[in-house]
C-alpha cells in the first residue's frame, strides 16, 4: 500500500487546529484540491461514525464530491476516515483510508495527512492536492 504524506505547521494549539479542521465554515475555505476550485457545499457530523461531504467545482466541469465516514474521531489528536471522491456518477478515488493527526510542536501544531494511494492513482497528484488544501488551511489559521 502506498501512502501520500503531507505535513504542515500551523501557529495555533492542536485544539484550535482540530476545531478549525472540523468546522463547516472553515472547511469551505480550504478543502479543495486546487485553490481555483471553489467549495460549493460542506456538511459534517463530527463524531465517531459521523460523516462529511464536501463538493468543489473545477471550472467548466462537473463538481467533485468527496465523502467520508469517521472511523476514529479523537479531538484534538486524530481523525481517521474512509473516503471516496466522485465526479457525477463516476468514482475518481477510493474508497481509501485517510488519517489526519494534530501534534503539538514548536509553539504550534503539526498537521499531518496520510492519504492512501490506490493502485493506478497518481501519488504526486494526491500530494499536490492535499498540499494545496493544507496551504489554504495554514492561510486561514494565520489570517
Amino acid at each position: 500500500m502506498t501512502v501520500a504524506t503531507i505535513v504542515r505547521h500551523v501557529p495555533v494549539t492542536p485544539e484550535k487546529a482540530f476545531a478549525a479542521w472540523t468546522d463547516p465554515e472553515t472547511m469551505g475555505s480550504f478543502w479543495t484540491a486546487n485553490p481555483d476550485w471553489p467549495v460549493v457545499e460542506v456538511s459534517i457530523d463530527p463524531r465517531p461514525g459521523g460523516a462529511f461531504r464536501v463538493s468543489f467545482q473545477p471550472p467548466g466541469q462537473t463538481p467533485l464530491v468527496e465523502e467520508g465516514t469517521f472511523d476514529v474521531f479523537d479531538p484534538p489528536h486524530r481523525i481517521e476516515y474512509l473516503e471516496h471522491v466522485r465526479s457525477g456518477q463516476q468514482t475518481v478515488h477510493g474508497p481509501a483510508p485517510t488519517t489526519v493527526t494534530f501534534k503539538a510542536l514548536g509553539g504550534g501544531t503539526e498537521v499531518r495527512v496520510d492519504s492512501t494511494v490506490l493502485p493506478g492513482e497518481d501519488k504526486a497528484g494526491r500530494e499536490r492536492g492535499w498540499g494545496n488544501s493544507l496551504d489554504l488551511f495554514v492561510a486561514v489559521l494565520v489570517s
Side-chain angles (χ1 to χ4, degrees):
M1 173 174 53
T2 302
V3 175
T5 298
I6 305 85
V7 179
R8 297 291 187 275
H9 186 268
V10 294
V12 299
T13 65
E15 290 80 7
K16 286 185 179 180
F18 192 99
W21 190 273
T22 58
D23 173 71
E25 185 175 330
T26 307
M27 288 175 75
S29 300
F30 76 88
W31 200 294
T32 181
N34 184 314
D36 295 326
W37 300 354
V39 175
V40 295
E41 174 194 3
V42 177
S43 63
I44 183 169
D45 179 11
R47 62 179 177 83
F52 71 91
R53 176 184 169 99
V54 180
S55 178
F56 42 96
Q57 179 72 55
Q61 297 182 32
T62 302
L64 295 170
V65 177
E66 183 170 352
E67 298 175 304
T69 302
F70 299 116
D71 298 313
V72 174
F73 197 86
D74 180 24
H77 309 288
R78 184 181 197 85
I79 300 170
E80 294 180 18
Y81 56 89
L82 192 63
E83 70 169 334
H84 64 274
V85 179
R86 290 180 292 105
S87 175
Q89 297 300 315
Q90 179 184 4
T91 297
V92 295
H93 167 68
T98 298
T99 301
V100 185
T101 55
F102 303 83
K103 178 182 174 184
L105 184 69
T109 301
E110 176 188 272
V111 180
R112 175 182 169 139
V113 174
D114 293 304
S115 178
T116 301
V117 180
L118 299 173
E121 292 184 336
D122 177 26
K123 181 179 179 187
R126 179 69 42 75
E127 291 169 336
R128 189 171 44 257
W130 271 115
N132 287 336
S133 289
L134 285 176
D135 289 344
L136 291 168
F137 184 67
V138 171
V140 166
L141 290 179
V142 298
S143 64

